[in-house]
Amino acid sequence: MTASEDIKPNLTPTKILKCRNAECKVWVRDEFASTEQTCPICKGPMIKSIKHLPAVQNKIKRQPRKPKSEFDI
């Protein structure tokens, strides 16, 4: 056994949308999917499914800094 085999990510059942077209292998996490639920590659219909994936760390988006204006005092 090697060191890389010792480390296994925690996989959790995750809701996904996958393309219904058998030739198209596209899938996307449900939380990141668009509301229209069409395949972004072949534009076919997507179906709901579950896949065991590592958890995603959702980072807090920072607000962009406002540039300092010459007119600010």
Side-chain angles (χ1 to χ4, degrees):
M1 213 184 270
T2 64
S4 63
E5 292 175 355
D6 293 338
I7 301 170
K8 293 183 181 179
N10 287 336
L11 301 179
T12 57
T14 306
K15 294 179 183 178
I16 65 165
L17 293 172
K18 64 180 183 176
C19 186
R20 183 173 281 178
N21 186 356
E23 291 85 37
C24 185
K25 303 294 183 194
V26 173
W27 62 268
V28 64
R29 289 177 188 255
D30 190 40
E31 60 196 70
F32 300 125
S34 65
T35 55
E36 57 192 50
Q37 294 187 356
T38 58
C39 177
I41 304 299
C42 72
K43 307 298 183 207
M46 303 282 278
I47 57 173
K48 293 183 179 187
S49 185
I50 292 181
K51 191 172 205 144
H52 288 80
L53 301 169
V56 173
Q57 297 278 335
N58 289 338
K59 295 183 179 179
I60 298 172
K61 292 183 180 178
R62 290 186 175 183
Q63 294 294 328
R65 289 186 176 180
K66 294 181 182 177
K68 292 186 178 182
S69 173
E70 294 176 4
F71 304 108
D72 287 345
I73 298 177

